[in-house]
Amino acid sequence: MKYNKSIIALFLVAGTVMASCSDNYMEEQNTDKYKAQKIDANSQLTTAELQTYGSLDIADTYRCYLYSFNQQLMGGWNTTNYGGRHTIDNSILSHWWTNGYRSIIGNLVDAEKRTEGNENLVNINAAIKIYKVYIMSILTDLYGDVPYSEAGLGYFDKLFTPRYDRQKDIYYDFFKVLKEATAQFDASKEKITGDVMYKGDIAKWIKFANSLRMRFAMRISDVEPEKAQKEFEDALYADGGVFEDSSDDALIEYIKIPYSFGMESYSDYRGNAVAKLLYGNDPANNPAYICSTFFNQMYDTDDPRTFMLARCYYDRKMSLTGPENRIDLTQEMIEKGGTFYPCKPGAFSWEPWPGTFTSGVLEEMAKTDPEIVSTVDRETEPKLATNFLMSDIPGVIMTYAETMFLKAEAKLKGWSAGSSSSEDCFRKGIEASIVFLSDNYNIEDVSGDDINSFINSLDYSSKDVEGKKELINTQAWILHFLNPVECWSNVRRSGYPKLKSPAEYGFGTYLVDGQEIPVRFCYPVLESSYNKDNYDAAVERMGGDNSWYNHVWWDVEAPVNGETVNQ
């Protein structure tokens, strides 16, 4: 059969048109008209900042491990069962790794790459670099050698099995990146619009970057003292300066949200998830109890922060959806000379069962509410104050108070750290630490006289160099209660306060995976399969064992050497 060439051509054209129309139709049907065609780097910065304290998974590592390793919380089921009893749970220990790389670093690397070289976007690019360094510092301080130079490059460079960089190399690059990023800011270029920490204020970002360099320099001061001194002094005197007062504090802003623990809450980062978890999904039965190490340090020294942070509550009327309806018994206990029973390291709240207290406040309330019991027992165990259980409390990244403690210790090391003496910096650090709580957590101010009286009682000037170092870092430990990652890093780096294993409190037989307090997080087990060669190389550098007793590179706990001028 013969076909006319024109007819054949017509069919071919018609078929092409129909196919084209079909493709266009399907493309239109499968395209979300309301979804942005590209991601705004500012939005990616917002997400990364909010996830830092807003991710429930990440916050779970704080509740289960860091607060117990720091011996600041103890007694609640999660805190004692995992960190207090030294029980390895690979899933929880992996949360920072999984969420840090997949979500936070993934967003930051993508945003950095897409804004690189764009003259109008130098400010958001610089802020992203600085924040990426901060997040990477958490990852390497928790785990040790980690993917860094190749992290987040799966999409851009098809690097799906990144190498684990040595922690020393990572820290050296931190200093380089932070210095370069601060020089990159340009007030004449496009503003940063997605910043929930500094609202795009580039002068604040520069101070933050320089202050981070001081933190990192102190971190490596016992393993690389010459490098540490050089970087500390360079940062302190860099253009733009460092934190000068509390207005420079790096704090993530959160908002009030309903307390829910459904699946949707794992992708809602608008509220502070650490506060939410410490409130708990069973708040009346599993509250955030204060550890005896932390409570006694403050209580025994008449620290004005003692009852700012720790309170005794009757919680049997407490709301299940938020920290309301708590009956505060603290002041009555103080006035009647009641005994406080903070939980010891390794103990659940019922080990041992606390003593009792008869409350006149509860007796009066019981007259109209027969469900209320006036003689109480577990209510005498101090708990975290309600002020710190609100979803809109800030996420603490770095504070002016910390920089003063860094300067105070730098002076002890003989470094150039400004004209103030070590003692002056120490005093300013404590004062700023106390005022920080009043300014950010709706707590009544402490008078200047009371602050000075407390500082004087510590008798800083009478101590030798090591004694001063201990005072500085014990105060840093209290300050960093609201920054648990930095708290654990500084305790390991400085060796202060000297924390005893739960075994020394009689809980040795309950410690599942080791007697001593762990000093790092274990790598995720799946890394040994998904990124085997690089994982094996990193583990080999640690002696062949992915143990949470292998110290990270900077953790050598060397003593401070020598007194210096301006003490």
Side-chain angles (χ1 to χ4, degrees):
M1 182 181 293
K2 295 182 179 179
Y3 295 97
N4 184 291
K5 292 182 178 180
S6 297
I7 295 175
I8 294 174
L10 180 62
F11 275 114
L12 289 172
V13 170
T16 302
V17 171
M18 290 176 65
S20 176
C21 290
S22 176
D23 288 345
N24 290 338
Y25 173 78
M26 293 302 294
E27 183 177 351
E28 290 176 4
Q29 290 300 307
N30 288 288
T31 299
D32 187 345
K33 298 177 182 179
Y34 302 99
K35 183 179 291 185
Q37 296 302 303
K38 62 180 181 178
I39 304 174
D40 185 350
N42 285 280
S43 297
Q44 289 176 292
L45 176 62
T46 306
T47 302
E49 289 176 335
L50 289 176
Q51 284 178 319
T52 309
Y53 281 90
S55 165
L56 271 174
D57 280 334
I58 286 176
D60 206 25
T61 64
Y62 300 170
R63 175 178 65 166
C64 292
Y65 286 108
L66 294 186
Y67 274 117
S68 55
F69 291 166
N70 292 332
Q71 293 187 6
Q72 293 167 322
L73 298 180
M74 195 68 64
W77 190 87
N78 304 78
T79 303
T80 295
N81 181 66
Y82 296 108
R85 295 285 169 98
H86 299 175
T87 304
I88 290 176
D89 185 292
N90 181 69
S91 176
I92 299 173
L93 288 170
S94 300
H95 282 330
W96 240 115
W97 184 286
T98 303
N99 293 275
Y101 279 115
R102 182 176 59 197
S103 300
I104 305 180
I105 292 299
N107 260 313
L108 293 173
V109 169
D110 182 75
E112 179 187 354
K113 286 287 186 180
R114 290 187 301 97
T115 56
E116 197 73 62
N118 187 324
E119 291 186 3
N120 290 323
L121 301 178
V122 291
N123 293 321
I124 183 63
N125 180 265
I128 285 166
K129 287 176 179 176
I130 293 167
Y131 206 74
K132 188 182 78 169
V133 164
Y134 168 68
I135 294 297
M136 284 303 316
S137 75
I138 293 177
L139 287 163
T140 188
D141 288 347
L142 288 176
Y143 297 97
D145 293 357
V146 295
Y148 173 70
S149 59
E150 296 180 352
L153 295 177
Y155 174 78
F156 290 98
D157 296 340
K158 309 304 179 189
L159 283 169
F160 303 114
T161 54
R163 71 169 179 265
Y164 289 44
D165 293 282
R166 295 174 185 269
Q167 189 174 62
K168 176 179 178 178
D169 296 333
I170 294 171
Y171 261 82
Y172 271 52
D173 198 59
F174 285 169
F175 297 121
K176 176 177 178 292
V177 172
L178 291 174
K179 188 172 184 177
E180 291 175 350
T182 57
Q184 184 179 316
F185 284 110
D186 186 340
S188 69
K189 303 300 182 182
E190 191 168 314
K191 297 183 183 301
I192 303 169
T193 60
D195 174 20
V196 292
M197 186 165 71
Y198 284 132
K199 295 181 172 58
D201 188 331
I202 61 177
K204 300 289 188 187
W205 275 96
I206 292 171
K207 288 182 179 181
F208 172 51
N210 290 335
S211 299
L212 273 182
R213 288 168 63 193
M214 290 170 58
R215 173 191 283 179
F216 298 153
M218 188 60 71
R219 187 88 85 240
I220 70 170
S221 61
D222 291 333
V223 68
E224 292 269 343
E226 292 183 4
K227 173 70 172 176
Q229 180 177 355
K230 177 181 180 301
E231 293 294 345
F232 188 97
E233 293 173 354
D234 189 58
L236 182 62
Y237 300 112
D239 290 342
V242 297
F243 289 175
E244 297 174 357
D245 55 45
S246 61
S247 68
D248 295 323
D249 290 350
L251 308 174
I252 304 299
E253 183 179 349
Y254 291 98
I255 64 173
K256 288 186 177 180
I257 59 171
Y259 278 173
S260 164
F261 291 89
M263 288 306 297
E264 73 284 351
S265 64
Y266 284 83
S267 57
D268 185 351
Y269 311 122
R270 298 170 300 160
N272 189 312
V274 179
K276 182 176 176 179
L277 279 181
L278 295 181
Y279 160 76
N281 51 357
D282 186 16
N285 297 309
N286 188 30
Y289 291 103
I290 302 294
C291 182
S292 62
T293 313
F294 192 58
F295 181 83
N296 291 338
Q297 170 61 39
M298 294 187 292
Y299 187 73
D300 293 345
T301 58
D302 291 324
D303 192 319
R305 289 165 292 188
T306 308
F307 295 112
M308 288 178 155
L309 292 163
R311 309 291 294 180
C312 287
Y313 295 105
Y314 182 89
D315 282 341
R316 301 180 203 186
K317 291 291 184 178
M318 190 177 184
S319 167
L320 296 178
T321 57
E324 296 89 24
N325 301 334
R326 308 184 90 179
I327 302 170
D328 194 334
L329 306 178
T330 315
Q331 191 58 39
E332 185 184 9
M333 288 185 64
I334 293 171
E335 291 172 357
K336 291 185 174 181
T339 302
F340 297 95
Y341 295 90
C343 298
K344 294 179 181 179
F348 285 109
S349 60
W350 56 85
E351 298 173 318
W353 198 264
T356 61
F357 175 74
T358 300
S359 167
V361 172
L362 294 177
E363 283 180 338
E364 189 64 28
M365 296 180 70
K367 292 177 181 179
T368 55
D369 187 345
E371 292 184 354
I372 290 180
V373 178
S374 59
T375 298
V376 295
D377 34 48
R378 289 176 68 185
E379 285 76 6
T380 64
E381 297 174 304
K383 304 167 187 174
L384 181 59
T386 301
N387 305 63
F388 303 94
L389 302 180
M390 304 297 185
S391 67
D392 60 344
I393 64 171
V396 181
I397 307 300
M398 192 171 190
T399 63
Y400 162 70
E402 179 187 345
T403 63
M404 296 313 297
F405 289 140
L406 293 172
K407 287 182 180 181
E409 188 170 350
K411 283 282 185 176
L412 295 183
K413 292 177 179 294
W415 299 354
S416 177
S419 58
S420 297
S421 69
S422 178
E423 181 172 2
D424 287 341
C425 293
F426 175 71
R427 297 182 70 92
K428 289 176 182 176
I430 296 178
E431 180 180 4
S433 299
I434 296 171
V435 172
F436 174 77
L437 296 181
S438 301
D439 286 350
N440 293 284
Y441 300 93
N442 194 30
I443 298 174
E444 187 176 346
D445 292 342
V446 179
S447 72
D449 288 343
D450 286 345
I451 292 175
N452 286 328
S453 177
F454 166 64
I455 297 173
N456 291 338
S457 73
L458 299 176
D459 201 13
Y460 185 85
S461 61
S462 72
K463 304 295 191 294
D464 62 13
V465 174
E466 196 64 24
K468 290 173 181 175
K469 180 187 175 186
E470 181 174 8
L471 278 178
I472 292 167
N473 288 289
T474 298
Q475 290 301 311
W477 172 62
I478 299 172
L479 165 68
H480 291 320
F481 175 81
L482 295 153
N483 190 354
V485 172
E486 181 56 29
C487 188
W488 195 40
S489 293
N490 198 63
V491 168
R492 288 178 289 157
R493 189 275 306 175
S494 69
Y496 294 115
K498 295 180 178 179
L499 304 178
K500 297 188 293 185
S501 166
E504 297 187 52
Y505 294 90
F507 296 100
T509 57
Y510 298 104
L511 304 183
V512 179
D513 294 306
Q515 295 285 297
E516 298 304 315
I517 301 171
V519 292
R520 65 176 283 271
F521 278 11
C522 302
Y523 293 133
V525 171
L526 288 178
E527 281 289 293
S528 63
S529 299
Y530 294 160
N531 195 6
K532 180 174 174 52
D533 290 345
N534 291 306
Y535 167 90
D536 286 346
V539 171
E540 186 64 28
R541 291 197 292 269
M542 292 191 297
D545 184 13
N546 180 23
S547 168
W548 64 1
Y549 289 113
N550 288 329
H551 292 256
V552 299
W553 165 71
W554 48 254
D555 182 11
V556 294
E557 292 187 27
V560 172
N561 294 312
E563 235 356 298
T564 64
V565 296
N566 287 326
Q567 293 297 304

